[in-house]
Amino acid sequence: CTSTYEIKHGMSDLEESNCVRGDNAFIFQWAFFFAPLWAHAIVCFVVMYKMTKSVEEAEKKTARYSGKSNRNVQSKRRQSIQAINSEGRLTLTEVESTGQSGQIELVLTKRVKMQCIMYALGFVVVWGFKTIARLIQLFGGTVPPVFFPLAAFFLGSQGLWNALIYFRPKYSTLNEDHWWQKVWIIVRSSL
């Protein structure tokens, strides 16, 4: 490529530059932005999955050794029944006071899992439209016009999504009767 500098200073016989600005820019976009962005996201999703499994394992061990079920915050009256399953093994089944058989609820695991899902969903929603648009361009297609306002809206509202995700646990622990406290906590936390 012959640059404009070379032409101005008589270093070339050409009358105008044959360099195209932004030529191969898509390679740099993917190499230095989108590929690291999604690679870090995948690593983060794997770490969150492992963390959720670790919390579940710890919660099950704690419940097994504590002798009491701390796994259900709003604990109903439950009783343990030993039964023989279809494989001929002895199992312990928790039965609610209503008489219906059910699984023990791992409350902490459920909370951690929901927080991880919300984070991953927020990330995918915020960066999904922009990434899909770039993938369409990379493979030579035309990006549908609806992608541009969607990408602009969701990228611009990334802070709102983060606030909703990180304030949700505090908000969800409050009593439904005092809705004004929930609003106040969100406003106070965001200041």
Side-chain angles (χ1 to χ4, degrees):
C1 137
T2 304
S3 69
T4 308
Y5 177 83
E6 292 173 14
I7 294 170
K8 281 184 180 178
H9 291 18
M11 300 173 163
S12 175
D13 299 341
L14 296 174
E15 293 183 16
E16 61 182 65
S17 174
N18 61 359
C19 293
V20 177
R21 182 168 221 181
D23 196 21
N24 298 324
F26 67 92
I27 295 171
F28 295 108
Q29 280 181 336
W30 281 98
F32 296 111
F33 186 73
F34 288 106
L37 176 78
W38 286 99
H40 284 99
I42 289 169
V43 167
C44 189
F45 297 158
V46 168
V47 167
M48 286 189 293
Y49 174 78
K50 288 186 173 201
M51 180 182 61
T52 303
K53 287 297 178 189
S54 174
V55 168
E56 180 180 14
E57 193 176 294
E59 193 172 16
K60 284 180 180 178
K61 283 181 183 177
T62 302
R64 184 173 63 212
Y65 293 118
S66 69
K68 59 181 181 178
S69 176
N70 63 350
R71 295 176 271 179
N72 191 348
V73 172
Q74 302 146 351
S75 65
K76 298 176 183 175
R77 191 165 173 218
R78 295 176 181 249
Q79 58 185 13
S80 298
I81 297 177
Q82 291 183 350
I84 297 177
N85 64 11
S86 60
E87 298 169 357
R89 294 185 181 167
L90 191 63
T91 61
L92 184 64
T93 305
E94 293 283 332
V95 179
E96 294 180 7
S97 59
T98 59
Q100 299 173 346
S101 177
Q103 295 278 332
I104 295 175
E105 192 174 23
L106 300 173
V107 174
L108 185 59
T109 302
K110 200 177 200 181
R111 287 181 187 162
V112 170
K113 191 182 296 184
M114 182 53 107
Q115 196 68 7
C116 290
I117 289 170
M118 294 291 286
Y119 175 79
L121 185 65
F123 183 88
V124 170
V125 165
V126 166
W127 287 104
F129 291 106
K130 184 78 169 169
T131 304
I132 291 170
R134 292 295 177 212
L135 280 171
I136 292 170
Q137 286 178 339
L138 180 67
F139 293 113
T142 303
V143 179
V146 72
F147 273 76
F148 298 113
L150 286 173
F153 173 76
F154 286 113
L155 277 173
S157 63
Q158 184 174 8
L160 175 67
W161 286 100
N162 285 339
L164 290 174
I165 291 166
Y166 290 111
F167 296 149
R168 187 194 63 77
K170 194 174 216 178
Y171 179 81
S172 65
T173 59
L174 294 174
N175 190 348
E176 289 295 324
D177 297 335
H178 303 292
W179 62 269
W180 52 270
Q181 284 181 337
K182 291 183 177 188
V183 173
W184 173 246
I185 284 179
I186 290 175
V187 169
R188 190 180 69 203
S189 297
S190 61
L191 296 177

